[in-house]
Amino acid sequence: MTKVHELRADAPTPDRVRLVPGRQKLLGAAQRGSARRVRLDWRVTAAGVAATVITIAVLVTMLVGGDGPERGVQPAGPDLTSGAALLEQAAEAVSRQPDLHPRDGQWVYLETAQCQDGASDAAPDVKPEVSEEWVQYDSPVREDDKDGDTEPSQRRLYRLLASLPDDPAEIRKRAADMFPMGKDTGLTGDQHETFALLATLDEAYPVHPQGMAKLFRALAADPGIEVVPHLVKDPMGHDAIAIYPDRGSKAVQRQEYLLDPDTFQYRGRQTVAVRDYEVTYEDGSSAGRSYKKGEVTFCEMKTTQSLVDRDGEKP
């Protein structure tokens, strides 16, 4: 067992839940055969169990520790100890996902669930409103900014990801060029670049896998990106990873960007109150709305995204 452990010392710990079915089968087989083996010498029985344990250990380490994308078992859950650790893990996972190879003339089908002032523990009966739309992959309107529309096309975003370098600083600059912001936002240059990275994460579909991995690594290098240290429930009731830009102690709410805990694919975003507060106008008067800590004040969840060949076609 020591030699087996040394052989695959770098293998991640397998998810115990994934091992339950095999363990149950092993115990069941042992119980079914126990009657006819009851008189076996204890040394023979012990040797058999040890051999079985070694065989299982070898099979598990082969499945978990394989070097190729075809590995059958993934590491046990997301690393929520820090934003950097989580985003490095996400980069590794998305880099192995397939490239959809989008073509000019295709459309992106998008089903979106939006919520405002609800869909949280504070207002559990408020359900997100679901809508659907089709976005042209190579939309002429979004291919340039001549008409004042600064929203990039899906093709421009895909090509941006495909062309990203390895340098996080250069990635931040390119993202900021893709998502320019006005001078009255109150953001510093670094904050602008951080939000441009997050805007790319939010808007890009389909994604170039290696490019998205580089984007995640650029976010991992950003000291202002935090992760909620536990899985959260998104407005649709599913478990999700929540990362967010730290806006300091004065912020009354935070913008969370949600990732699938199994695939690390982007799901959507939500705004969450970080403490109780009352909404006021610029003159300090009450706007007649207050929020409780933990309440979702806004969400936009991308429940379905898919490439289709025609406007109006559903996946």
Side-chain angles (χ1 to χ4, degrees):
M1 288 297 293
T2 299
K3 292 299 182 183
V4 171
H5 179 72
E6 292 174 351
L7 178 66
R8 297 300 304 176
D10 60 336
T13 303
D15 189 340
R16 293 182 63 185
V17 174
R18 298 177 187 268
L19 300 181
V20 167
R23 182 175 183 273
Q24 290 175 336
K25 289 181 179 180
L26 176 63
L27 293 176
Q31 291 172 353
R32 287 193 299 271
S34 60
R36 63 183 179 86
R37 292 198 302 269
V38 70
R39 292 186 178 86
L40 288 177
D41 185 87
W42 69 269
R43 288 166 294 185
V44 177
T45 303
V49 171
T52 301
V53 170
I54 291 175
T55 302
I56 292 175
V58 172
L59 289 174
V60 169
T61 51
M62 287 175 66
L63 286 171
V64 174
D67 295 328
E70 69 280 4
R71 70 177 65 182
V73 179
Q74 298 297 323
D79 185 347
L80 303 177
T81 57
S82 71
L86 182 279
L87 290 162
E88 287 288 352
Q89 188 182 21
E92 177 64 23
V94 300
S95 70
R96 299 193 299 268
Q97 293 171 2
D99 189 344
L100 297 180
H101 298 290
R103 306 183 308 275
D104 290 354
Q106 287 188 298
W107 292 72
V108 174
Y109 170 79
L110 176 62
E111 183 184 78
T112 305
Q114 290 189 337
C115 58
Q116 191 163 355
D117 298 343
S120 67
D121 292 339
D125 296 330
V126 178
K127 302 299 181 184
E129 181 178 347
V130 179
S131 62
E132 57 185 2
E133 64 177 316
W134 287 260
V135 179
Q136 192 173 358
Y137 170 66
D138 51 344
S139 169
V141 175
R142 296 184 179 184
E143 281 293 292
D144 59 62
D145 302 326
K146 294 179 181 178
D147 61 352
D149 183 2
T150 58
E151 187 175 9
S153 69
Q154 307 311 119
R155 181 169 69 174
R156 289 180 64 192
L157 289 168
Y158 179 85
R159 290 177 174 177
L160 169 69
L161 290 176
S163 65
L164 287 181
D166 293 327
D167 180 21
E170 180 62 24
I171 292 174
R172 293 172 65 87
K173 181 179 180 301
R174 293 193 187 186
D177 290 340
M178 183 66 72
F179 290 97
M181 296 186 183
K183 297 180 179 180
D184 57 349
T185 60
L187 300 176
T188 65
D190 286 343
Q191 288 174 331
H192 173 198
E193 290 178 350
T194 296
F195 276 94
L197 290 177
L198 293 169
T200 305
L201 175 66
D202 180 51
E203 295 290 339
Y205 183 88
V207 301
H208 186 278
Q210 296 298 327
M212 182 55 74
K214 292 177 181 180
L215 185 77
F216 273 132
R217 291 191 177 100
L219 284 168
D222 189 326
I225 297 295
E226 303 286 347
V227 62
V228 177
H230 55 80
L231 295 180
V232 303
K233 287 291 183 183
D234 71 19
M236 308 303 292
H238 304 133
D239 286 339
I241 301 164
I243 61 172
Y244 61 94
D246 186 2
R247 297 298 304 276
S249 60
K250 294 183 179 180
V252 297
Q253 56 185 6
R254 68 184 178 215
Q255 181 89 301
E256 295 182 346
Y257 295 78
L258 305 179
L259 308 176
D260 187 286
D262 296 319
T263 65
F264 296 94
Q265 291 183 345
Y266 179 70
R267 278 192 187 166
R269 57 192 173 92
Q270 64 181 15
T271 304
V272 181
V274 295
R275 65 172 183 266
D276 296 355
Y277 74 97
E278 182 178 3
V279 181
T280 59
Y281 294 113
E282 292 184 0
D283 61 2
S285 61
S286 175
R289 184 71 174 95
S290 62
Y291 296 100
K292 298 293 185 182
K293 180 179 179 180
E295 186 174 357
V296 174
T297 63
F298 172 82
C299 82
E300 185 177 69
M301 303 301 300
K302 300 186 176 183
T303 53
T304 304
Q305 293 187 98
S306 180
L307 276 174
V308 295
D309 292 329
R310 295 178 301 278
D311 184 13
E313 178 185 353
K314 291 190 176 183

